[in-house]
Amino acid sequence: MESKKDTLTRKRTSTFQRYLLPITLVSSLIVSGSVSYVVSKLYQSESEKVFADQSSQMKIEQMQQDSLAVIEEETPKILDDLKEYEKDLSEVVTQIELVNENLFSVRKVLDQVDSATLFLSSINSVVNHPLLSRISGYVSNANSTLTELDAVLFRLEHLSKVKADMNDTRERIEKIYSEYQTSQDSAVLIKMEKELDSELTYQIEDIRNSTVEAHDALEISSKVLLQVNKAVATYHSFQSSSEKVIQSLQFWKEKKQVTKIDQSQHEQFMKELDESSERLKNLPEDLAKRSNETISSINSAKSELQMIRLTEAIQD
């Protein structure tokens, strides 16, 4: 005979078995769903990461393309401007050489006039001659103007070196840019960054300021030439009016007379100075405008080259 305990145990087992299958199914579904959810989230996270990486790469590539577009636009402008600066410098250097060459003979004549005037002024018989004081005035003004001119010419002596340095810089930029155009490798352009340094900007500013001084040098040279010519002309007038007195002096017996300025040479020099001054007249203003544009192009190119360098570093 079955006991009450056995009957109760059998009922509990039967009840547990009745609900076991549904519970197992539900649990399986829950577990399966959880796993699927986790897997789907992991997959989604990985996909988003890949997408994010792809998006970042596209942005970097777009930044590079934008930078390259600016560099390809600005570099030819910079090269063209540098060629123009070299032409301007050649013109200025040529004019300065012209002044130095022609002033050599002018300085010699001025020294002779000065020496003769000082000598004659020391002789009592002619010391009160009115033309002597006028000659001394012209000589003094000419010497003062020459001192001013020498200071300007001294400041312009470095222009030949600036021209050579700028030419070297332009050639290096041309070589790098040509290499880039052949290889289409943006990394090549990074070498151009150091060529567009502050030294190049200083040289451009220096050229702009130097053209102003070069124009001044030509105008000052004209003043010197006119003053020396007046001194020589007045001296010869004095010589004619005091011929007997002068001939009696030992100074003139030694034939230390003042050399006359060759009139054709004088006129040619004056013509060249006028033409040079006219050519350089508008150059300072033109350079002021052009230099601002060139420096703007250099700064834009440098900024984009830095961006290229940065994006290259990110991709490595």
Side-chain angles (χ1 to χ4, degrees):
M1 186 172 178
E2 188 178 34
S3 67
K4 290 181 178 181
K5 183 178 179 181
D6 293 336
T7 304
L8 182 59
T9 300
R10 188 175 64 252
K11 287 181 178 179
R12 287 176 178 174
T13 302
S14 177
T15 302
F16 177 75
Q17 289 174 343
R18 186 190 310 168
Y19 292 104
L20 179 61
L21 181 59
I23 290 172
T24 301
L25 289 173
V26 171
S27 298
S28 298
L29 290 172
I30 292 173
V31 172
S32 177
S34 298
V35 172
S36 298
Y37 175 76
V38 172
V39 170
S40 67
K41 291 300 290 182
L42 288 173
Y43 179 77
Q44 181 181 3
S45 176
E46 186 65 27
S47 297
E48 287 177 349
K49 183 180 179 181
V50 171
F51 179 77
D53 289 344
Q54 290 176 341
S55 177
S56 297
Q57 182 63 29
M58 289 175 63
K59 287 180 180 178
I60 291 173
E61 290 177 355
Q62 185 60 51
M63 290 167 63
Q64 285 183 330
Q65 291 303 316
D66 292 343
S67 294
L68 288 173
V70 174
I71 294 169
E72 289 173 356
E73 179 182 0
E74 298 296 348
T75 301
K77 292 181 184 178
I78 294 170
L79 291 172
D80 287 342
D81 284 351
L82 292 181
K83 290 177 182 177
E84 287 300 313
Y85 291 130
E86 289 173 37
K87 290 180 182 178
D88 296 334
L89 275 174
S90 294
E91 179 68 22
V92 171
V93 170
T94 298
Q95 302 316 316
I96 297 306
E97 290 174 350
L98 168 71
V99 170
N100 279 319
E101 290 172 5
N102 283 276
L103 282 183
F104 178 78
S105 59
V106 174
R107 291 175 195 274
K108 182 179 178 181
V109 170
L110 184 61
D111 287 341
Q112 289 177 329
V113 172
D114 193 20
S115 297
T117 303
L118 287 173
F119 179 83
L120 292 172
S121 295
S122 66
I123 308 300
N124 291 333
S125 59
V126 293
V127 72
N128 294 322
H129 200 294
L131 288 181
L132 280 180
S133 60
R134 193 181 302 177
I135 296 168
S136 296
Y138 290 142
V139 170
S140 177
N141 289 337
N143 279 324
S144 177
T145 309
L146 268 174
T147 300
E148 180 185 358
L149 177 60
D150 286 339
V152 176
L153 294 176
F154 178 77
R155 291 194 296 272
L156 295 175
E157 283 182 351
H158 70 294
L159 289 183
S160 294
K161 185 177 185 308
V162 172
K163 179 177 178 293
D165 290 345
M166 184 169 283
N167 179 71
D168 291 342
T169 300
R170 177 182 57 77
E171 288 181 349
R172 287 193 296 268
I173 294 174
E174 283 180 337
K175 183 178 180 180
I176 294 170
Y177 192 62
S178 176
E179 183 181 346
Y180 159 72
Q181 288 178 310
T182 301
S183 66
Q184 291 298 303
D185 183 2
S186 59
V188 173
L189 288 173
I190 297 175
K191 294 185 291 184
M192 197 164 69
E193 188 178 357
K194 71 175 183 179
E195 302 299 338
L196 301 177
D197 59 7
S198 57
E199 180 65 24
L200 182 59
T201 302
Y202 293 150
Q203 288 175 344
I204 293 171
E205 291 286 356
D206 190 16
I207 294 170
R208 181 174 67 179
N209 295 331
S210 296
T211 53
V212 176
E213 290 199 297
H215 186 261
D216 290 343
L218 294 173
E219 293 188 339
I220 296 171
S221 298
S222 296
K223 291 179 183 178
V224 171
L225 201 58
L226 288 172
Q227 289 164 354
V228 172
N229 194 51
K230 286 181 180 179
V232 173
T234 306
Y235 184 83
H236 286 305
S237 294
F238 165 76
Q239 184 180 2
S240 298
S241 62
S242 307
E243 184 175 358
K244 290 182 180 180
V245 176
I246 292 174
Q247 286 178 349
S248 65
L249 299 175
Q250 183 64 31
F251 176 82
W252 295 106
K253 290 180 180 179
E254 295 175 0
K255 297 182 180 180
K256 294 182 180 178
Q257 297 196 31
V258 176
T259 305
K260 289 186 178 181
I261 293 180
D262 185 282
Q263 192 61 28
S264 61
Q265 183 182 2
H266 165 69
E267 291 177 356
Q268 179 63 29
F269 186 27
M270 286 296 295
K271 180 182 177 182
E272 290 175 349
L273 286 176
D274 289 341
E275 290 175 350
S276 299
S277 181
E278 185 64 26
R279 283 196 297 272
L280 297 185
K281 182 174 65 175
N282 297 324
L283 187 56
E285 185 177 346
D286 293 342
L287 275 177
K289 179 181 178 182
R290 194 197 317 156
S291 63
N292 289 334
E293 294 174 352
T294 307
I295 292 172
S296 177
S297 293
I298 289 174
N299 289 335
S300 295
K302 283 177 64 176
S303 177
E304 300 306 328
L305 285 168
Q306 290 169 359
M307 182 61 69
I308 292 289
R309 179 159 49 82
L310 178 62
T311 55
E312 291 286 341
I314 292 173
Q315 289 179 314
D316 288 344

